[in-house]
Amino acid sequence: MTLDIDFVRAQFPAFSEPSLQGQAFFENAGGSYTCKPVIDRLMRYYSQRKVQPYAPYEASRLAGAEMDEARERMAAILGVEVDELSFGPSTTQNTYVLAQAFRQWMKPGDAIIVTNQDHEANTGSWRRLADEGIEIREWQIDPKTGHLNPEDLDPLLDETVRLVCFPHCSNVVGEINPVTEITAIAHAAGAFVCVDGVSYAPHGFANVSDLGPDIYLFSTYKTYGPHQGCMVIRRALAELLPNQGHFFNADTLYKRFTPAGPDHAQIAASAGMADYIELLATHHGAPEGDLTSRAEFVHDLMRAHEVELLQPLLDAVRDRNSVRLLGPDQAEKRAPTVSLSLTQAAEPVAAQLAEEGIMAGGGDFYAVRALQSMGVDPTQGVLRLSFTHYTSKAEVDQLITALDKVL
Ligand SMILES: Cc1ncc(COP(=O)(O)O)c(C=O)c1O
């Protein structure tokens, strides 16, 4: 079974939008197009249910029910319990709140391990805890390849380490890290694990229970949904960390780490991501079963399509003299988030690509530490070419032709 790309693209209004015709989108790692079920739900919420939810009148009851539905179905997709999932304004804000909770729970002299592969969202807030007497240890990537070696984690661990933070996949290196293996190493040393899944989730939702971390974060505006951060905190840790919400909400797990009032409409619209996964599962003949297993089926379909389209792109860029490809050159090892360090600043090259109908970006993508450690000047930045399962072979061909012209 292969992905029916025409069916997929029919679920995204952007592909039939006249102003976007002829333009191939390759900045998906920044934010994806939004699928129709999400847009429909958002429209319906704003036109029919835009009242304070959970009150005993019909519009309000429907509003609250739709928010609950979003949490229930997204939790099922991720293989976790409903109250282990919460929505916040963004992943960066979610890690900020989590860092406050860890700050209160940890003692001076305790340690946290961070990487220099992460987007700043899953490292900056943790590093700032050094000001409170927390020791920060950096797990470093290989400066040539950007690879984060699990063997280098072991020497950093001891009984003072409370938390290990790392990405499922870096937004510039693109390599998929072995989360289960790394989590097992950290857990064996008695540490909790926080995984930034933002760059992985657009390529298929992971079963977080099987993966194993205590915290798993991603941003729904990159997974065809509204602009929210989605956060899984497994029960044992969520109950242990001090409540960051209103005191009277302390017993409601999903309210403990979202101090701000949530964006009701966007949470409700997030159920549209589950609709989309269900649509793909049904259309491609996924076996009947729970949403977790149907989401895994869809994950594998997306991944196979992406890997097939990615290898020709990697082949086209890896041997050019004027280009340094960051991360692995084998599609199976990475997400289709391809960063190229050039002999010139990246953004003007992105502007040249725009003239060829390619939407891409250049810059540091908030992965300043990763670029610096690989010897890439963040002010020159990298040209990032990122796609997802809805990208067609014709678009990748268009990109390769355009690259031939501008590089
Ligand atoms: C890997 C990664 N982590 C975290 C973030 C931050 O996400 P948010 O914008 O939701 O704070 C990004 C955003 O680009 C990202 O690429």
Side-chain angles (χ1 to χ4, degrees), residues 314-323 325 329:
L314 296 173
D315 293 343
V317 294
R318 69 177 163 198
D319 293 327
R320 284 174 189 266
N321 287 337
S322 60
V323 163
L325 165 67
D329 60 9

Side-chain angles (χ1 to χ4, degrees), residues 171-400:
N171 67 329
V172 290
V173 179
E175 182 166 8
I176 298 166
N177 291 318
V179 174
T180 308
E181 180 192 341
I182 297 168
T183 300
I185 297 169
H187 280 173
F192 289 110
V193 168
C194 173
V195 171
D196 175 352
V198 174
S199 277
Y200 186 87
H203 310 293
F205 290 117
N207 181 329
V208 177
S209 286
D210 287 354
L211 271 186
D214 305 282
I215 303 170
Y216 190 86
L217 307 146
F218 65 95
S219 303
T220 56
Y221 67 94
K222 301 183 199 254
T223 60
Y224 340 116
H227 203 116
Q228 291 280 283
C230 191
M231 165 164 65
V232 169
I233 313 178
R234 303 315 304 271
R235 183 170 312 282
L237 178 61
E239 286 176 350
L240 180 74
L241 290 174
N243 171 35
Q244 302 298 303
H246 297 310
F247 74 92
F248 43 80
N249 285 331
D251 292 339
T252 308
L253 215 58
Y254 75 88
K255 293 187 176 172
R256 287 171 66 86
F257 305 100
T258 53
D263 187 323
H264 302 147
Q266 302 220 64
I267 292 175
S270 294
M273 297 188 294
D275 296 339
Y276 177 57
I277 298 298
E278 281 283 17
L279 273 172
L280 290 190
T282 302
H283 180 78
H284 293 88
E288 286 301 320
D290 58 21
L291 194 45
T292 317
S293 60
R294 286 165 71 75
E296 283 174 10
F297 177 93
V298 171
H299 168 285
D300 294 350
L301 267 180
M302 290 176 167
R303 180 88 191 118
H305 174 82
E306 291 181 355
V307 167
E308 192 186 326
L309 264 58
L310 177 57
Q311 195 58 55
L313 175 60
L314 296 173
D315 293 343
V317 294
R318 69 177 163 198
D319 293 327
R320 284 174 189 266
N321 287 337
S322 60
V323 163
R324 175 180 169 203
L325 165 67
L326 304 189
D329 60 9
Q330 293 148 280
E332 297 79 34
K333 291 191 173 175
R334 63 180 299 153
T337 302
V338 179
S339 298
L340 307 178
S341 171
L342 311 175
T343 49
Q344 54 184 309
E347 201 174 69
V349 179
Q352 285 174 268
L353 282 176
E355 288 171 27
E356 306 299 321
I358 301 295
M359 297 190 270
D364 61 43
F365 300 102
Y366 286 16
V368 173
R369 296 173 203 270
L371 294 187
Q372 279 172 335
S373 72
M374 284 188 281
V376 178
D377 176 358
T379 60
Q380 295 262 310
V382 287
L383 177 67
R384 193 173 69 174
L385 311 163
S386 57
F387 66 90
T388 78
H389 70 287
Y390 54 52
T391 304
S392 67
K393 181 173 180 315
E395 287 173 324
V396 174
D397 291 344
Q398 183 183 345
L399 171 64
I400 293 173

